[in-house]
């Protein structure tokens, strides 16, 4: 309903219950038309689905569509056949009860398609185990086989189901489809022998001829051309462009292999199909006695071969009949006309029972061997109400069935409605009169002639208000009813039935037929025609009684289940897409009882929802304001209707609901924003909490790891310290495990420290104090160090300095302790230059002793003259260990008189030796010329 409300302005209303003019058929049709023109073929009447055949593919049956509807509240999405299927399935799963979906409508309205869509929906959306896929495939593939044998092209539908079908899909407690069961109703056997112009026989005949290979056809004595067979060519449309028999044959052959048909089954089955075709081609001529005879027994032979019967017995069964008197039996020949009737009767019976066998064979392949099967959903695809120009026994049965089913619907729906209103404390006066039209006399075996049958009817049900014959009708109605007709007023309208010919009040099979068929070698036929039937022939129920019985058991099946309804409507007779024939649709609306149904739904209130659902949808702040007003209005208007156990809100006028809905629409954006914000907030909060938790966890882990590391470190430190202390305590002991580490550490440490404290020069006597255990080593090291320093020092001493030092040693030997000032002199280096001796190269006896003039007070160099200059100079040099200090100059030599003042001695040779000082103070020494 909510989905309905959303889209109501766009294309009509999606639920007829929301129509203002709900009593107007025109408004109903208008709404249907409006939606149909937009390809919206589905509309609800409450929970009933109205479907208009679109006659085109609309793309609304995709897997994504199925997923869309899966598990969604019925009213949340636009009407769809999937919504009905899903609703039934969910209810079945949650309440563990049985359901059925009743699909009705006239031929071509789309019932079979709807049931196929539902089956596909279950196949796709239900949970599935691998082993149960076979059951699912069989369920799906039973359809093409049933359609091949039970469907035919009619003027109204190229693939018209010519039988009613009820299919149970069985589910286990988990909602997995585990099996199925099919019940067929009233296959249209007359089609086997006769088709109207433009119609065909059952598809299987054409499929076999078109798709069967040459070998198979020849083994069945068949030709490919369907025109050669009388039973296939009466409708003059054996070949139909919209039907691909060859392809369909492939599908059916494949389906046969999936649903457990053995080779022998297929041989027998196609033997029967071929026999029916051969039967149709048997021609009778009149013999001299007026009896029927068969001039060409070609067909008889083939039938006898295929069915495994005796040809002469078969021939006799077709051309004779047995008259059973009290004591004797007489075989009488039939006329040509009766032989044709007999032949057709046999063909119909053979095909009809073979179809029943086929259904039971399919059922045995669908059977669920698992006894845990829990619930079922039934699909009832049954012919809708039929009103033709000429209505016979079949229409009577179909309409009887529809009447019964309508009765069931009314009982279930109305009672449910009424019960709901009562529970909710609301009074309803629906005013529906159930029209039970059929009494058992209508279909009771009666006399053989059509007229006497009618008279019997008049006698039994003549007083019934809804029954009329020409005799019973007043002067006005008389003209409209024929002598052999009767008229019934069904819930969907008047139908006039003709009793001529088609009312099989007695069994149509003769004893001779049964005798042939019971003894057939074809195992299918033997299963279909039991010998026991021959013996109990008189007690066999008529077709009508059989149908009535099967209908009663169907009703029993249905009564125990929860119903859902789909009403299919055919938009036009020409099978064209987008063509909406008002007249035709009105007619269907009428006989499908849709207006009646709508009236019932609207008799009380257009809208009823549980309070919580209603509030859930509308209780947002902007709508709340409106809602409050609305509640006030509602409460004041309906106050008298309040009862104690109210659980639902009922709104009578759609406009009130729409106004609420408009307010809802108006506030939708705000709502969406708020929902979005709340949702995002919720997501963000969740994310934040997640991160926070993660961070806390991470932090805890990290801290734990750090703490563990710290503990490890401390433990290690404690061990080290302990070992250190132990080592310290045992440090003086010989090297042992207790002190080894400590000693190594101390050594290492001492040596490392020592690096920074080694003496820098030979005079530095400092030394790092060693620990006790290292005293020896330290001593050795110190010595090595000193030696090293000394060596280094010695290497660094120049020869000059060495000489000076040697001189100092001599000085020491001479003066130490003997002469004052010696100690002070120690620091004063001896200058090399402080003492030098110079002589001239000439023969004079002069020598100059150079003394360094550092002190200004002191005198300068000493000039000496001696006789033994060579000896003096040599001894001086030797004394001073300074041979090199003797300087022998030529010409002149400089000397220091006093610091800063120099003098010069000029040496020269002359005739005589002389020493003189000139005016400048310059001293000149002249030595005599050598010899
Ligand atoms: N929902 C749909 N979408 C498209 N085409 C459809 C739909 N329903 C029916 N049709 C078309 O209409 C044709 C007739 O439908 P279908 O055979 O289901 O009718 P029916 O009511 O079962 O008729 P009958 O009572 O004769 O068996 C289908 O072959 C198909 O072409």
């Amino acid at each position: 309903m909510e989905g309905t409300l959303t889209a109501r302005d766009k294309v009509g209303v999606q639920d007829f219950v929301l129509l203002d003019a709900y009593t107007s058929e025109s408004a109903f049709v208008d709404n249907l038309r409006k939606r149909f023109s937009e390809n919206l073929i589905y509309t609800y009447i409450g929970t009933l689905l109205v479907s208009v055949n679109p006659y085109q593919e609309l793309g609304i049956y995709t897997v994504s569509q199925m997923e869309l509807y899966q598990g969604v509240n019925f009213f949340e999405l636009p009407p769809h056949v999937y919504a009905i299927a899903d609703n039934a399935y969910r209810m079945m799963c949650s309440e563990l009860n049985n359901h059925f979906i009743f699909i009705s409508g006239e031929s071509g309205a789309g019932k079979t398609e709807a049931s196929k869509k539902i089956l596909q929906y279950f196949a796709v959306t239900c949970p599935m185990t691998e082993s149960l896929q076979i059951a699912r495939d069989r369920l799906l593939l039973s359809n093409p086989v049933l359609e091949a044998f039970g469907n035919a092209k009619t003027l109204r539908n190229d693939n018209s189901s010519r039988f009613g079908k009820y299919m149970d899909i069985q589910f286990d407690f988990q909602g997995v489809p585990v099996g199925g069961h099919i019940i067929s109703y009233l296959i249209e056997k007359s089609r086997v022998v006769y088709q109207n112009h433009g119609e065909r026989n059952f598809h299987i005949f054409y499929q076999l001829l078109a798709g069967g290979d040459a070998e198979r056809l020849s083994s069945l004595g068949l030709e490919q051309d369907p025109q050669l067979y009388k039973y296939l060519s009466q409708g003059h449309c054996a070949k139909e462009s919209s039907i691909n028999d060859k392809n369909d044959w492939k599908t059916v052959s494949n389906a046969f292999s999936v649903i457990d048909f053995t080779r022998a089954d297929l041989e027998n089955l196609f033997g029967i199909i071929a026999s029916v075709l051969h039967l149709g081609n048997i021609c009778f001529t009149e013999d001299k006695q007026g009896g029927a005879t068969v001039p060409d027994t070609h067909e008889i032979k083939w039938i006898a071969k295929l069915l495994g019967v005796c040809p002469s017995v078969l021939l006799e069964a077709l051309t004779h009949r047995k008259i059973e008197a009290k004591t004797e039996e007489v075989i009488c020949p039939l006329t040509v006309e009766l032989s044709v009737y007999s032949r057709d009767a046999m063909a119909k019976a053979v095909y009809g029972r073979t179809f029943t066998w086929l259904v039971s064979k399919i059922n045995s392949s669908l059977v669920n061997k698992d006894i845990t099967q829990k619930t079922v959903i039934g699909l009832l695809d049954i012919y809708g109400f039929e009103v033709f120009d000429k209505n016979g026994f079949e229409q009577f049965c179909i309409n009887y069935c529809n009447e019964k089913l309508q009765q069931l619907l009314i009982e279930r729906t109305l009672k449910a409605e009424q019960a709901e209103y009562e529970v909710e404390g609301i009074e309803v006066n629906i005013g529906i009169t159930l029209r039970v039209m059929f009494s058992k006399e209508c279909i009771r075996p009666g006399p053989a002639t059509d007229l006497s049958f009618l008279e019997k009817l008049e006698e039994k049900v003549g007083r019934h208000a809804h029954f009329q014959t020409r005799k019973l009708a007043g002067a006005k109605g008389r003209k409209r009813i024929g002598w052999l007709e009767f008229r019934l007023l069904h819930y969907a309208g008047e139908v006039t039935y003709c009793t001529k010919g088609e009312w099989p009040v007695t069994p149509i099979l003769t004893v001779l037929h049964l005798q042939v068929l019971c003894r057939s070698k074809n195992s299918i036929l033997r299963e279909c025609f039991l010998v026991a039937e021959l013996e109990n022939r008189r007690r066999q129920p008529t077709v009508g009684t059989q149908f009535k019985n099967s209908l009663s058991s169907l009703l029993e099946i249905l009564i125990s289940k929860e119903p859902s309804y789909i009403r299919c409507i055919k938009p036009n007779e020409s099978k064209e897409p987008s063509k909406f024939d008002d007249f035709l649709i009105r007619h269907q609306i009428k006989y499908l009882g849709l207006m009646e149904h709508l009236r019932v739904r609207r008799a009380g209130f257009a809208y009823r929802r549980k309070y919580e659902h209603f509030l859930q949808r509308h209780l947002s702040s902007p709508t709340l304001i409106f809602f409050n007003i609305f509640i006030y209005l509602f409460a004041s208007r309906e106050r008298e209707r309040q009862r104690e156990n109210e659980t639902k809100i009922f709104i009578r006028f759609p406009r009130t609901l729409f106004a609420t809905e408009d307010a809802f629409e108006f506030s939708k954006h705000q709502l969406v924003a708020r929902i979005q914000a709340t949702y995002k907030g919720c997501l963000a909060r969740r994310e934040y909490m997640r991160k926070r938790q993660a961070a806390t966890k991470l932090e805890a882990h990290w801290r734990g790891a750090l703490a563990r590391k710290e503990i490890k470190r401390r433990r290690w430190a404690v061990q080290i310290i302990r070992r250190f202390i132990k080592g310290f305590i045992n440090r003086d002991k010989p090297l042992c495990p207790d002190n080894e580490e400590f000693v190594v550490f101390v050594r290492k440490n001492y040596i490392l420290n020592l690096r920074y404290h080694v003496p820098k020069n030979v005079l530095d006597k400092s030394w790092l104090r060693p620990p006790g255990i290292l005293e020896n080593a330290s001593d050795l090291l110190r010595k090595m160090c000193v030696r090293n320093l000394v060596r280094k020092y010695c290497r660094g001493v120049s020869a000059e300095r060495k000489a000076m030092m040697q001189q100092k040693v001599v000085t020491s030997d001479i003066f130490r302790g003997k002469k004052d000032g010696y100690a002070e002199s120690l620091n004063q280096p001896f200058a090399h230059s402080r003492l030098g001796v110079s002589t001239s190269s000439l023969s004079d006896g002069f020598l100059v002793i150079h003394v360094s003039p550092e002190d200004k007070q002191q005198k300068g160099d000493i000039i000496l003259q001696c006789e033994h200059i060579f000896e003096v100079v040599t001894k001086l040099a030797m004394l001073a260990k300074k041979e090199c200090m003797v300087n022998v100059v030529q010409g002149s030599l400089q000397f220091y008189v006093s610091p800063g003042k120099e003098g010069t001695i000029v040496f020269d040779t002359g005739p005589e030796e002389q020493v003189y000082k000139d005016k400048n103070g310059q001293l000149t020494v002249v030595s005599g010329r050598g010899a």
Side-chain angles (χ1 to χ4, degrees):
M1 178 84 64
E2 275 67 24
T4 313
L5 292 171
T6 318
R8 70 176 196 281
D9 292 331
K10 292 176 203 149
V11 204
V13 291
Q14 292 185 60
D15 191 332
F16 283 110
V17 166
L18 300 174
L19 266 185
D20 259 345
Y22 68 94
T23 50
S24 157
E25 198 177 275
S26 303
F28 193 102
V29 175
D30 278 350
N31 188 49
L32 214 55
R33 188 192 306 106
K34 213 189 274 181
R35 294 177 57 72
F36 183 73
S37 64
E38 295 288 328
N39 285 338
L40 297 169
I41 59 166
Y42 295 121
T43 314
Y44 289 135
I45 306 177
T47 52
L48 179 147
L49 181 74
V50 179
S51 159
V52 186
N53 186 348
Y55 281 120
Q56 58 180 315
E57 287 307 323
L58 295 179
I60 54 170
Y61 303 109
T62 56
V63 172
S64 55
Q65 278 282 314
M66 293 183 190
E67 283 162 359
L68 187 68
Y69 279 85
Q70 199 178 352
V72 174
N73 195 316
F74 188 72
F75 290 114
E76 286 300 325
L77 289 171
H80 202 291
V81 67
Y82 293 158
I84 297 280
D86 189 70
N87 193 45
Y89 178 75
R90 274 189 303 120
M91 302 268 275
M92 178 198 74
C93 289
S94 61
E95 292 168 14
L96 283 181
N97 55 4
N98 298 323
H99 285 250
F100 75 90
I101 301 172
F102 176 18
I103 310 165
S104 61
E106 73 172 59
S107 178
K111 301 182 293 295
T112 311
E113 287 298 320
S115 75
K116 281 196 244 174
K117 304 294 181 229
I118 292 172
L119 210 59
Q120 279 162 4
Y121 180 79
F122 290 143
V124 171
T125 60
C126 289
M128 183 59 56
T129 59
E130 220 168 274
S131 60
L132 289 170
Q133 264 174 17
I134 300 173
R136 185 193 63 180
D137 291 348
R138 285 179 178 171
L139 269 171
L140 290 174
L141 286 174
S142 63
N143 251 335
V145 174
L146 279 178
E147 284 190 5
F149 284 80
N151 287 24
K153 176 197 168 352
T154 65
L155 286 174
R156 315 170 107 209
N157 182 359
D158 290 349
N159 183 30
S160 179
S161 313
R162 305 317 297 161
F163 65 107
K165 186 170 85 174
Y166 174 77
M167 180 184 212
D168 259 345
I169 308 161
Q170 300 160 346
F171 296 86
D172 71 3
F173 67 100
Q174 289 173 309
V176 178
V178 289
H181 187 82
I182 297 165
I183 305 173
S184 66
Y185 297 97
L186 201 72
I187 174 112
E188 188 195 33
K189 284 179 286 189
S190 58
R191 182 166 296 274
V192 177
V193 299
Y194 178 73
Q195 308 92 42
N196 287 323
H197 191 84
E199 298 197 351
R200 298 206 314 175
N201 208 323
F202 293 100
H203 294 321
I204 189 64
F205 294 110
Y206 306 92
Q207 289 172 3
L208 174 64
L209 297 187
D213 52 47
E215 196 184 335
R216 184 189 287 276
L217 292 186
S218 77
S219 72
L220 297 170
L222 297 175
E223 300 287 331
Q224 219 175 14
D225 184 6
Q227 303 295 346
L228 299 175
Y229 301 96
K230 192 167 164 254
Y231 281 168
L232 304 186
S233 55
Q234 297 163 85
H236 302 285
C237 64
K239 292 234 165 70
E240 178 62 40
S241 59
S242 62
I243 302 171
N244 189 336
D245 291 314
K246 208 168 178 173
N247 268 0
D248 292 345
W249 169 258
K250 282 185 199 152
T251 313
V252 173
S253 304
N254 172 44
F256 273 132
S257 61
V258 176
I259 47 180
D260 264 1
F261 276 69
T262 62
R263 217 185 152 83
D265 285 335
L266 293 179
E267 293 289 312
N268 288 328
L269 189 60
F270 293 119
I272 293 170
I273 298 301
S275 300
V276 171
L277 292 181
H278 288 305
L279 264 177
N281 278 5
I282 295 175
C283 293
F284 299 97
T285 52
E286 202 174 66
D287 63 11
K288 285 175 192 149
Q289 288 81 36
T293 178
V294 178
D296 181 0
T297 56
H298 176 256
E299 264 79 28
I300 296 280
K301 283 179 193 148
W302 268 110
I303 298 166
K305 183 181 170 206
L306 293 171
L307 299 186
V309 297
C310 170
S312 57
V313 178
L314 174 67
L315 186 59
E316 189 186 49
L318 292 173
T319 53
H320 292 76
R321 93 187 152 114
K322 192 188 259 185
I323 299 171
E324 292 165 299
K326 266 184 189 158
T327 49
E328 55 182 328
E329 292 175 345
V330 186
I331 305 268
C332 297
L334 295 172
T335 61
V336 169
E337 194 187 350
L338 284 175
S339 290
V340 169
Y341 182 79
S342 161
R343 175 198 70 184
D344 290 349
M346 185 187 254
K348 286 194 277 187
V350 165
Y351 191 85
R353 295 202 190 186
T354 303
F355 183 76
T356 312
W357 173 87
L358 188 85
V359 173
S360 62
K361 179 80 186 163
I362 290 174
N363 279 338
S364 58
S365 95
L366 293 180
V367 77
N368 169 31
K369 284 156 199 124
D370 181 2
I371 48 160
T372 59
Q373 175 241 314
K374 286 275 184 294
T375 46
V376 303
I377 293 180
L379 289 179
L380 180 61
D381 164 10
I382 209 143
Y383 15 65
F385 209 82
E386 281 191 356
V387 190
F388 298 136
D389 292 342
K390 193 181 158 209
N391 303 294
F393 177 68
E394 256 154 22
Q395 278 68 48
F396 176 82
C397 288
I398 288 170
N399 292 345
Y400 174 67
C401 170
N402 273 275
E403 191 82 41
K404 281 282 188 192
L405 291 167
Q406 178 68 7
Q407 188 182 332
L408 179 81
L409 173 124
I410 288 171
E411 271 176 23
R412 299 292 295 264
T413 322
L414 300 198
K415 278 189 180 162
E417 288 276 321
Q418 208 151 12
E420 184 171 1
Y421 294 143
E422 275 163 20
V423 166
E424 299 296 331
I426 293 161
E427 295 139 23
V428 179
N429 180 13
I430 299 162
I432 295 292
T433 315
L434 297 182
R435 300 158 188 158
V436 184
M437 289 298 309
F438 290 79
S439 64
K440 57 186 170 192
E441 280 79 7
C442 294
I443 48 174
R444 206 182 69 164
T449 72
D450 305 329
L451 202 56
S452 55
F453 170 63
L454 199 60
E455 281 166 0
K456 179 104 176 168
L457 277 180
E458 282 173 346
E459 185 195 323
K460 294 285 179 190
V461 290
R463 275 187 299 275
H464 203 291
H466 298 114
F467 177 82
Q468 266 192 345
T469 58
R470 191 178 171 97
K471 202 167 124 189
L472 296 172
K476 242 183 168 184
R478 186 168 297 164
K479 281 181 193 152
R480 293 193 292 130
I481 308 177
W483 284 113
L484 288 177
E485 290 175 347
F486 67 91
R487 181 175 293 164
L488 288 176
L489 179 59
H490 290 283
Y491 75 95
E494 275 183 358
V495 183
T496 306
Y497 297 98
C498 179
T499 58
K500 197 166 183 295
E502 289 292 318
W503 292 79
V505 287
T506 50
I508 53 168
L509 274 185
T510 67
V511 183
L512 295 179
H513 288 156
L514 278 175
Q515 278 173 350
V516 176
L517 298 171
C518 290
R519 290 172 190 136
S520 163
K521 288 200 176 78
N522 186 307
S523 62
I524 297 178
L525 280 193
R526 269 210 317 282
E527 279 180 50
C528 294
F529 298 92
L530 302 173
V531 182
E533 195 180 327
L534 250 185
E535 286 145 21
N536 303 325
R537 206 173 153 271
R538 280 181 189 283
R539 270 173 272 144
Q540 286 297 309
T542 63
V543 181
T545 319
Q546 279 173 13
F547 178 66
K548 190 179 159 246
N549 292 343
S550 59
L551 189 56
S552 308
S553 55
L554 171 66
L555 289 175
E556 265 170 43
I557 293 173
L558 299 184
I559 278 169
S560 62
K561 296 182 170 70
E562 292 299 318
S564 304
Y565 299 98
I566 301 175
R567 294 283 189 253
C568 299
I569 291 180
K570 185 174 174 171
N572 58 69
E573 288 288 10
S574 48
K575 306 167 200 165
E576 280 175 58
S578 316
K579 188 172 167 192
F580 193 88
D581 181 337
D582 273 27
F583 181 75
L584 185 70
I585 286 174
R586 271 173 197 269
H587 178 64
Q588 293 171 76
I589 289 172
K590 199 169 169 200
Y591 76 65
L592 285 172
L594 297 183
M595 292 309 295
E596 202 168 42
H597 190 86
L598 176 58
R599 258 197 303 278
V600 170
R601 296 288 304 195
R602 279 292 306 268
F605 297 86
Y607 181 93
R608 88 246 7 231
R609 301 288 284 146
K610 287 205 172 222
Y611 276 117
E612 63 258 35
H613 292 157
F614 183 84
L615 294 179
Q616 231 172 38
R617 181 173 167 78
H618 293 91
L619 211 55
S620 59
S621 50
T623 38
L624 185 61
I625 304 158
F626 183 85
F627 181 69
N628 285 336
I629 302 164
F630 162 73
I631 281 289
Y632 171 76
L633 289 174
F634 177 78
S636 56
R637 269 201 197 180
E638 312 288 338
R639 195 158 291 152
E640 74 279 8
R641 294 182 189 276
Q642 306 295 312
R643 296 291 186 275
E644 270 186 4
N645 60 347
E646 280 184 5
T647 58
K648 288 185 180 177
I649 185 164
F650 289 83
I651 300 174
R652 185 187 291 279
F653 304 104
R655 231 169 279 142
T656 317
L657 181 64
F658 293 155
T660 321
E661 191 56 27
D662 288 340
F664 175 63
E665 281 297 316
F666 178 71
S667 63
K668 228 175 188 175
H669 286 294
Q670 284 173 356
L671 272 180
V672 167
R674 193 174 301 171
I675 291 168
Q676 214 172 40
T678 313
Y679 180 67
K680 282 184 180 171
C682 184
L683 279 188
R685 262 193 300 284
R686 202 182 297 163
E687 180 64 10
Y688 166 72
M689 290 307 286
R690 202 181 59 75
K691 282 187 177 164
R692 203 168 85 162
Q693 271 176 8
T696 314
K697 212 176 262 181
L698 219 71
E699 202 177 324
H701 277 291
W702 180 241
R703 284 183 188 203
L706 281 186
R708 274 191 297 281
K709 203 171 162 192
E710 180 62 14
I711 285 175
K712 225 167 155 182
R713 201 178 66 79
R714 287 186 183 181
R715 190 171 292 146
W716 169 81
V718 165
Q719 281 170 359
I720 296 288
I721 291 166
R722 191 182 290 149
R723 282 211 302 272
F724 192 84
I725 292 170
K726 212 170 177 183
F728 178 76
I729 293 166
N730 297 306
R731 67 186 180 283
D732 293 329
K733 290 186 183 166
L735 213 57
C736 66
D738 280 349
N739 65 4
E740 190 178 8
E741 214 170 337
F742 177 78
V743 169
V744 169
F745 171 76
V746 168
R747 266 185 207 156
K748 189 174 155 193
N749 210 23
Y750 176 72
I751 290 180
L752 284 176
N753 264 339
L754 193 61
R755 266 197 307 179
Y756 305 109
H757 295 98
V758 282
K760 299 284 180 297
N761 53 55
V762 281
L763 294 176
D764 186 358
K765 298 293 175 225
S766 68
W767 187 252
L768 190 64
R769 195 160 164 247
I773 47 168
L774 279 180
E775 264 171 6
N776 289 341
S778 167
D779 206 30
L780 281 171
L781 276 174
R782 192 174 59 79
K783 279 181 184 159
M784 277 166 69
C785 183
V786 169
R787 202 176 298 146
N788 198 29
L789 282 173
V790 169
R791 188 181 298 130
K792 227 165 150 186
Y793 180 77
C794 290
R795 278 189 189 150
V797 174
S798 61
E800 198 179 327
R801 189 165 167 75
K802 189 175 171 186
M804 184 196 76
M805 289 179 81
Q806 282 169 347
Q807 286 167 10
K808 285 269 180 181
V809 171
V810 175
T811 312
S812 165
D813 290 345
I814 299 169
F815 296 109
R816 199 166 67 167
K818 296 172 193 164
K819 186 170 167 65
D820 291 344
Y822 168 73
E824 289 78 30
S825 77
L826 278 177
N827 278 339
Q828 296 163 8
F830 294 166
H832 180 68
S833 56
R834 202 160 2 241
L835 192 64
V837 178
S838 296
T839 61
S840 76
S841 57
L842 299 179
S843 58
D844 58 282
F846 277 84
L847 75 135
V848 177
I849 299 172
H850 300 282
V851 182
S852 176
E854 272 170 15
D855 191 351
K856 288 183 181 169
Q857 303 299 320
Q858 287 188 1
K859 291 277 179 193
D861 297 344
I862 304 159
I863 305 168
L864 296 174
Q865 186 178 18
C866 64
E867 284 293 316
H868 307 290
I869 190 139
F870 290 104
E871 185 183 340
V872 169
V873 168
T874 302
K875 283 184 178 171
L876 263 175
M878 283 178 70
L879 273 173
K881 289 193 179 165
K882 270 190 172 182
E883 284 84 357
C884 56
M885 76 176 191
V886 177
N887 211 5
V888 180
V889 294
Q890 286 185 348
S892 66
L893 68 87
Q894 299 285 324
F895 67 95
Y896 294 96
V897 180
S898 58
K901 191 176 175 188
E902 288 185 349
T904 310
I905 303 174
V906 179
F907 295 97
D908 206 0
T909 54
E912 57 186 78
E913 290 177 352
Q914 59 178 336
V915 179
Y916 64 90
K917 206 174 180 180
D918 62 14
K919 287 177 191 163
N920 298 333
Q922 182 182 292
L923 192 66
T924 305
V925 176
V926 182
S927 57
R929 270 191 196 110

